[in-house]
Amino acid sequence: VQALVQLLIGGVLQGGIYALGAFGLSVIFGVLRVLNVAHGHYLMLGGMLTYWLYTAWGLPPFAAVVVVFPVFFVGGLLTERLLIRPIAGMAHHEFLVASILITLGLALAIGDLTAFALTQPEKGVDYLLPPLRLGGVVVSSLRLISLGIIVTLTVVIHAFLRWTFVGRALRAVMEDREGAMLAGIDIQRISMVAFGLGLALTATAGVFFVMLTSVYPHMGIPLTLRYLAIIVLGGVGNLPGALLGSLVLGLSESLVSFYVGAEWSLTVGFLLLIAILLLRPRGLLG
Amino acid sequence: VRRWAAGLGLLAVAAIAALPSLTASTYVVAFLYSVFIAAILAQSYDWVGGHMGYLNLGHASFFGIGAYTFGILFKTGQPLLLALLAGVLLAALFAVAISYPFFRLRGAYFALATFVPTGYRLYHAYYASLGLLAGLVAATAWLAGSRLGLALAASAAVAGLAGGLYCWNLTYIIPGTVFGLDVAVGPIVMAMLGGSGTIVGPVLGALVVDVIREALRFHTPHLALTIYGGMLVLVGLFLPGGLAEPRRWRRLARRLAGGER
């Protein structure tokens, strides 16, 4: 029981961490039709910033969320303005090619520059809290607090999308771009917000990554692919789907690496994805 | 014009074919060999990726299947041609098998699903793909007649051949090199950089990318990827149709000269 509870908590937590980034990727794709290849690299940068705040300023990792989120929100606004806006007028296929070249180029440059700047590229934060005892089961309080923050963030984002004007405009653009434009929604502004939100979310996931495992410069692209798997699993442009997909992948990874072997966790995750796509070609909730 | 192009192409092929007897440098030959492999991959990727508009992130898996099939058969003493052929067939079969479920998916779904077979463990990745293949072949072989299925099978066969050829020159292969991300992303970048959906674009892209990589490796061992990435960004911003599209060049020149938008 002890092991299973640990595995389930670990799986749900991993799923929650995935969900932040996958959610961000899904929002960016839904609003801008850009597959942000550099998405995983921003998670890594978020983790690096957390590490730096902790070692240089003594800021506890949980508090780093308050810095990381706005910093990368602004970073996202700038990235959209400088790199995506100029190509927004292109024809469909050209836009697809250009957006992939640009975000891939950005990803390679970010990874390479980070590796170049650090003498010891793999970073982790040793931040420990006494474990909790619930009944007969020992649970890491670090993981529980992380999970709490992630759940809170998810609820806040949900409320933002549901009840604020910008949030509703964002959903409208995802659902029907032309319709939203006709209704007078400023697509350029919404696009900037979507990119900012997407990067802020994935960078925030980096805070938990650096605390619970570690981050390193070239982790980005495999991570982006995992995010991509998640949003396809849940249904592209479908935000609750991204959450569900994250939980499925997080749990399957956690269970498979314990019962079968860590090297199989990715394979099983992807086989699961194929199986689900064969049954439901538009994703779980698509 | 077409006859001119064909004549020029033949001339170029003859010149390149004669090159190994003219130069004593194995470096040049080895380098060109790697360009060929890359160009074959980029070109065969583009049959599906450029001409039919599907972003196939799994092209590397065909390459990997070809490489592994060849490697295993050749090492156990089978004749060279048989080993190459087996690699080609297996890659094509695999493509036929996956074409039925995957072409039902569109856009990003397809891009993602095709990435799946790319693994990283030596025999694991190979047998995982093979197992998937066996399960799907029986149910889906009849779909080979579809246009998309055929294109993917042909594209996969060529990639499988490239895999076999690539493996031939090496004493060992590891999944990281034949199933890896570099192989998955490389052909796409090359095709896009050169001009996806054009005839010579992918070959041009492969040549440009390989020359640049090699040059960067020599001159700036440290920030090579940063420069390479920066170039991709610039091409995306200013030449999204690829290098092989003259209209874009003209427009770019006009923009730089006149400052007109």
Side-chain angles (χ1 to χ4, degrees):
Chain A
V1 180
Q2 169 86 36
L4 191 65
V5 170
Q6 296 276 16
L7 285 175
L8 287 181
I9 291 181
V12 170
L13 179 61
Q14 188 62 52
I17 296 174
Y18 281 152
L20 291 178
F23 207 69
L25 191 67
S26 194
V27 167
I28 292 176
F29 186 80
V31 171
L32 292 110
R33 302 277 143 201
V34 168
L35 175 59
N36 179 23
V37 182
H39 208 63
H41 282 85
Y42 282 99
L43 180 144
M44 180 271 294
L45 286 180
M48 292 292 176
L49 178 58
T50 309
Y51 175 83
W52 181 73
L53 287 172
Y54 180 67
T55 48
W57 301 89
L59 194 69
F62 287 123
V65 174
V66 185
V67 180
V68 169
F69 193 96
V71 164
F72 280 88
F73 184 78
V74 173
L77 299 183
L78 290 176
T79 309
E80 196 279 336
R81 185 67 193 81
L82 295 176
L83 296 178
I84 308 296
R85 182 83 57 84
I87 63 167
M90 284 175 187
H92 177 74
H93 189 247
E94 280 199 343
F95 178 75
L96 177 79
V97 170
S99 65
I100 288 180
L101 286 178
I102 289 172
T103 53
L104 177 65
L106 190 64
L108 294 177
I110 291 176
D112 196 42
L113 280 173
T114 315
F116 181 70
L118 302 171
T119 40
Q120 207 286 87
E122 185 161 353
K123 301 288 186 205
V125 169
D126 288 320
Y127 186 70
L128 292 172
L129 294 172
L132 272 176
R133 264 177 198 289
L134 296 174
V137 184
V138 182
V139 187
S140 148
S141 47
L142 205 64
R143 293 182 154 207
L144 275 186
I145 298 175
S146 303
L147 197 57
I149 295 180
I150 288 169
V151 170
T152 313
L153 253 173
T154 309
V155 171
V156 169
I157 299 291
H158 190 75
F160 164 74
L161 289 175
R162 200 163 187 92
W163 287 304
T164 65
F165 178 77
V166 176
R168 287 161 73 163
L170 221 146
R171 281 194 300 145
V173 176
M174 286 174 79
E175 252 163 51
D176 178 1
R177 204 184 167 82
E178 277 73 37
M181 238 179 323
L182 287 176
I185 290 174
D186 183 350
I187 300 262
Q188 290 195 337
R189 204 170 126 236
I190 296 300
S191 296
M192 277 177 89
V193 172
F195 219 90
L197 183 65
L199 292 197
L201 284 173
T202 189
T204 305
V207 175
F208 301 104
F209 249 87
V210 78
M211 198 166 26
L212 298 168
T213 55
S214 64
V215 294
Y216 48 95
H218 295 296
M219 70 191 290
I221 287 182
L223 200 62
T224 303
L225 288 167
R226 217 169 286 194
Y227 283 155
L228 196 59
I230 289 167
I231 63 175
V232 171
L233 197 68
V236 175
N238 182 316
L239 301 181
L243 191 60
L244 187 63
S246 303
L247 287 179
V248 169
L249 195 69
L251 279 172
S252 86
E253 276 185 12
S254 167
L255 293 173
V256 168
S257 39
F258 184 77
Y259 290 111
V260 189
E263 76 271 23
W264 285 96
S265 67
L266 202 60
T267 310
V268 172
F270 276 121
L271 285 178
L272 200 66
L273 171 76
I274 296 189
I276 290 176
L277 282 181
L278 285 178
L279 296 174
R280 296 189 57 90
R282 306 205 57 104
L284 281 175
L285 300 182
Chain B
V1 177
R2 187 163 286 179
R3 202 174 289 169
W4 264 100
L8 266 178
L10 273 178
L11 211 66
V13 170
I16 297 169
L19 198 71
S21 55
L22 296 178
T23 170
S25 150
T26 46
Y27 168 75
V28 174
V29 177
F31 172 67
L32 280 178
Y33 163 75
S34 77
V35 174
F36 295 160
I37 297 283
I40 293 171
L41 275 178
Q43 189 85 60
S44 57
Y45 158 79
D46 212 45
W47 287 350
V48 171
H51 295 276
M52 310 202 112
Y54 283 89
L55 183 67
N56 178 4
L57 286 175
H59 200 58
S61 63
F62 307 140
F63 181 76
I65 288 171
Y68 263 95
T69 310
F70 174 86
I72 290 169
L73 288 179
F74 196 57
K75 220 185 91 187
T76 53
Q78 305 298 323
L80 174 72
L81 275 178
L82 183 75
L84 275 178
L85 197 66
V88 170
L89 279 179
L90 214 58
L93 266 178
F94 181 65
V96 170
I98 64 169
S99 71
Y100 167 64
F102 287 174
F103 277 125
R104 281 168 63 208
L105 313 170
R106 266 183 286 163
Y109 292 93
F110 183 80
L112 174 86
T114 49
F115 187 76
V116 172
T118 305
Y120 52 88
R121 278 283 149 133
L122 183 58
Y123 288 91
H124 292 180
Y126 183 73
Y127 287 114
S129 340
L130 199 62
L132 187 65
L133 163 74
L136 290 171
V137 159
T140 59
W142 60 276
L143 264 137
S146 75
R147 264 182 61 215
L148 279 171
L150 261 183
L152 187 66
S155 144
V158 175
L161 188 61
L165 291 173
Y166 175 76
C167 181
W168 191 15
N169 187 39
L170 300 172
T171 47
Y172 68 96
I173 49 175
I174 53 170
T177 56
V178 294
F179 281 107
L181 257 176
D182 206 34
V183 193
V185 177
I188 304 178
V189 170
M190 290 167 182
M192 286 179 171
L193 196 74
S196 194
T198 64
I199 308 267
V200 292
V203 176
L204 183 69
L207 184 67
V208 170
V209 167
D210 268 4
V211 167
I212 289 171
R213 269 201 205 150
E214 200 66 12
L216 287 178
R217 210 158 57 96
F218 267 120
H219 296 294
T220 57
H222 281 307
L223 290 171
L225 264 179
T226 306
I227 299 171
Y228 178 54
M231 284 182 9
L232 292 186
V233 171
L234 288 178
V235 172
L237 283 174
F238 298 111
L239 286 169
L243 301 172
E245 210 187 23
R247 268 179 303 144
R248 276 275 166 186
W249 280 106
R250 259 176 254 144
R251 215 177 304 165
L252 182 66
R254 230 183 305 146
R255 215 153 130 194
L256 290 177
E260 153 225 19
R261 291 219 127 201

